[in-house]
Amino acid sequence: MRLGGVGLYSSSSSFSSSVFVFDHYHHLAPKPFSAYTSSKKPFLTTFTPKRCSTMTLPSAALFSQNPVVSDVVATALSGSVAFSLLQLLKETATRGIFDQKLNRKLVHISIGIAFMLCWPLFSPGSRGAWLAATIPGLNIIRMLILGLGLWKDEATVKSMSRFGDYRELLKGPLYYVIAIALVCIIYWRTSPISIVAICNLCAGDGVADIIGRRFGSIKIPYNRNKSIAGSIAMVSASFLASVGFMYYFSLFGYMERSWEMVLGFWIVALASALVESLPISTDLDDNLTVPATSILVGILVF
């Protein structure tokens, strides 16, 4: 006889013989019939399928017997994603599809976020972190070569600079890739600090500039270069992106979701937006001050 997907099999001679139950993993488990008749509740209402206690990571699912090959493939895939995005946004800059400032901020937002989305492809431990960090590491070398004028690439310069000067790449864009590389190596995907540092730098700072330029008529009293709308947008984008990555990484078992962590994301987003609005961020570079603030406050909060 079959009830609700659970098979009950008894001998034709007696109900006292063994009853075999298929469990969640389809193994036969012999149990005496009295075990079910003596229960106060019906068997079908108390039966709970077993759940798998471990989760297979994407890299292990592909190359479970060779994690080194898995990490190499993950590096190639992640690098291809980053390179494709850069090429796409270089093309939009060359064709003038977007305003240069908007195009630069689209690069700013997308590269770091897309890179962090690829982290689950890598194996656990330091090898995965270091191999992942080679992607922003190569971009550090690229920024140095372009910024020093050793190699000409007008499309890249146009997509990443404010005024089209190749020497600008030695400041904001260089700080950007250095920050992402260091966060990747030091904190990796098991720490909420890596989430807040990259989300505040990429999503928060990028969206703040886009919104501030369009709706930032009301300026902050202590810094006329910043707007209230931009700061609100930064807090919102940083917070939402951080919560999103908390859920994303929790799917792979890297961290546990909690309201305490959500509150921490909100505090760090507020602190980063406050520092970004200060004149010192304009003087130094918010690609330095935002991740530095996120890390320092994150150490205190998490």
Side-chain angles (χ1 to χ4, degrees), residues 27-40:
H27 296 302
L28 287 172
K31 294 184 179 181
F33 186 78
S34 60
Y36 304 111
T37 58
S38 62
S39 176
K40 294 182 179 180

Side-chain angles (χ1 to χ4, degrees), residues 11-165:
S11 65
S12 59
S13 60
S14 173
F15 279 103
S16 62
S17 60
S18 296
V19 177
F20 295 93
V21 181
F22 275 104
D23 69 5
H24 185 62
Y25 297 102
H26 308 292
H27 296 302
L28 287 172
K31 294 184 179 181
F33 186 78
S34 60
Y36 304 111
T37 58
S38 62
S39 176
K40 294 182 179 180
K41 295 182 180 180
F43 164 68
L44 291 178
T45 62
T46 59
F47 178 78
T48 303
K50 297 178 182 178
R51 295 182 181 272
C52 183
S53 60
T54 59
M55 181 174 292
T56 302
L57 302 183
S59 58
L62 292 173
F63 305 102
S64 58
Q65 301 302 319
N66 199 330
V68 175
V69 174
S70 177
D71 281 338
V72 171
V73 173
T75 303
L77 289 173
S78 302
S80 298
V81 169
F83 179 77
S84 299
L85 277 173
L86 285 173
Q87 290 299 114
L88 174 63
L89 292 168
K90 276 176 59 177
E91 191 66 22
T92 58
T94 302
R95 295 176 179 270
I97 296 175
F98 302 119
D99 174 77
Q100 183 173 347
K101 293 182 176 64
L102 175 59
N103 201 96
R104 183 173 63 88
K105 283 303 174 181
L106 291 177
V107 174
H108 188 95
I109 294 169
S110 62
I111 297 301
I113 296 297
F115 173 58
M116 194 157 57
L117 285 171
C118 294
W119 284 5
L121 295 174
F122 294 86
S123 66
S126 60
R127 183 184 61 236
W130 279 96
L131 282 174
T134 59
I135 297 169
L138 290 174
N139 276 292
I140 292 173
I141 298 172
R142 188 162 172 251
M143 294 302 102
L144 289 171
I145 293 174
L146 290 172
L148 293 171
L150 302 177
W151 176 35
K152 304 294 183 182
D153 188 344
E154 294 299 328
T156 297
V157 172
K158 189 175 182 180
S159 67
M160 295 185 180
S161 62
R162 285 185 173 91
F163 307 108
D165 187 349

